[in-house]
Amino acid sequence: MTGPATSQAWSSHEGAAALAAPTSTEKRRVFDWRILLGFFLPVAIALLWEAAVTFGFAEGRLVPPPSRIIAMLWGLAQTGELWTHAWMTLWRVLVGFIIGALSGIVLGALSGSSQALRQLLDPTLQALRAIPSIAWVPLFILWLGIFEASKVALIAVGVFFPVYLGIAGAILSVDRKLVEVGHVFRLSRIQLARRILLPAVLPEAVIALRSGLGLGFMFVVAAEFMGASEGLGYLLVDGQQMGKPDQILAAIIAFAILGKLADSLLLVATKPLVRWQDTVRERL
């Protein structure tokens, strides 16, 4: 016989099973589905626009159909220009990201962990954050010249501020009770930082790094407008000057693909740092 208590226990068991971590088969099925779902929207838009141009509903002169954009990408890839420009853009973003992220982590940690340093640093950094990115261009050209140093410096500025804000905010938002538990167990400051503060900060730090990387790709366009002869930003300017909208859109698509790949690599690289999290994001 099964009574109310047994039914309640079974319901509780079902609820716990629903929130339990999915099996490897379930993870693989969800992952495959998400990949297909992620391609659905851009492919659908591309097919609709291609059909609109093909059947005469749109002219397609200023916004070329996907077939022309793919042909442009294929032509640039065959001549090797696409790989040259993409690699140069990626190199600039990588160097600028490393410099900006390291600076943001160090100053964000100092500002978040010390009230005196926060009062010293934060007002100035917040004022600098409000300066538009383009305003830095003439100054960096004057200081560093028109070559790579000024471009990397501009990208580093774009990466720095979201990383700084993310790290400082993550440290300041650590639950006071966690720190009190560390004091109860008489942890030293180093042990407290390593065993309590660092794990609590890492999830938000990963988000800050991803935000900084995204802004790095945005700032590289402004950087490559500063007299660059290589890079995807150069392709944008060249397409504008030569009246080639298919080249402009091809460069934009290349930016999107590069940015997504870089973000995915960063996510994979930082995943072991937050593997300890027990979340239900797979189910939500």
Side-chain angles (χ1 to χ4, degrees), residues 3-278:
T6 307
S7 300
Q8 185 178 0
W10 179 252
S11 300
S12 301
H13 177 72
E14 285 183 335
L19 291 175
T23 63
S24 58
T25 305
E26 289 175 330
K27 283 183 177 180
R28 187 160 52 248
R29 184 167 59 247
V30 171
F31 182 70
D32 291 341
W33 172 249
R34 285 178 180 174
I35 287 180
L36 295 176
L37 192 62
F39 281 105
F40 175 77
L41 187 59
V43 170
I45 294 174
L47 291 176
L48 286 173
W49 184 247
E50 184 73 35
V53 174
T54 301
F55 292 106
F57 295 106
E59 184 179 353
R61 184 175 63 88
L62 295 179
V63 184
S67 56
R68 281 180 54 191
I69 299 172
I70 292 172
M72 173 61 71
L73 284 170
W74 179 252
L76 291 172
Q78 283 188 316
T79 60
E81 289 182 75
L82 180 62
W83 314 119
T84 301
H85 294 307
W87 166 248
M88 183 55 66
T89 293
L90 197 58
W91 181 85
R92 288 167 179 151
V93 172
L94 177 63
V95 176
F97 175 75
I98 291 173
I99 296 173
L102 288 178
S103 304
I105 289 171
V106 171
L107 291 181
L110 292 175
S111 180
S113 57
S114 170
Q115 184 176 1
L117 287 174
R118 183 165 61 255
Q119 292 174 344
L120 175 67
L121 297 172
D122 196 64
T124 302
L125 293 177
Q126 294 297 342
L128 292 175
R129 186 171 68 92
I131 299 175
S133 60
I134 301 299
W136 294 103
V137 172
L139 191 60
F140 285 160
I141 291 177
L142 183 64
W143 285 350
L144 305 171
I146 203 170
F147 299 107
E148 295 303 312
S150 58
K151 297 175 179 59
V152 170
L154 183 62
I155 297 166
V157 167
V159 173
F160 169 81
F161 289 107
V163 175
Y164 165 78
L165 287 175
I167 298 297
I171 294 174
L172 291 172
S173 64
V174 173
D175 193 341
R176 185 188 300 272
K177 297 183 181 62
L178 293 176
V179 179
E180 291 175 354
V181 168
H183 291 156
V184 168
F185 284 95
R186 297 183 179 180
L187 298 179
S188 64
R189 291 181 65 88
I190 296 178
Q191 290 175 327
L192 187 68
R194 182 174 60 86
R195 300 181 63 177
I196 292 180
L197 295 180
L198 186 59
V201 165
L202 278 175
E204 293 187 42
V206 171
I207 296 174
L209 289 174
R210 293 180 67 188
S211 300
L213 181 62
L215 274 181
F217 274 96
M218 293 182 186
F219 272 60
V220 76
V221 177
E224 290 179 342
F225 283 176
M226 298 178 348
S229 58
E230 290 180 335
L232 295 177
Y234 166 76
L235 279 183
L236 289 172
V237 176
D238 184 66
Q240 177 200 3
Q241 293 175 346
M242 302 301 292
K244 296 179 179 179
D246 49 352
Q247 180 173 312
I248 295 174
L249 288 172
I252 290 173
I253 290 173
F255 264 120
I257 294 172
L258 267 185
K260 175 57 181 171
L261 289 176
D263 181 72
S264 298
L265 287 175
L266 179 62
L267 199 58
V268 170
T270 55
K271 191 174 182 180
L273 300 177
V274 293
R275 188 173 292 170
W276 53 268
Q277 283 186 295
D278 187 13

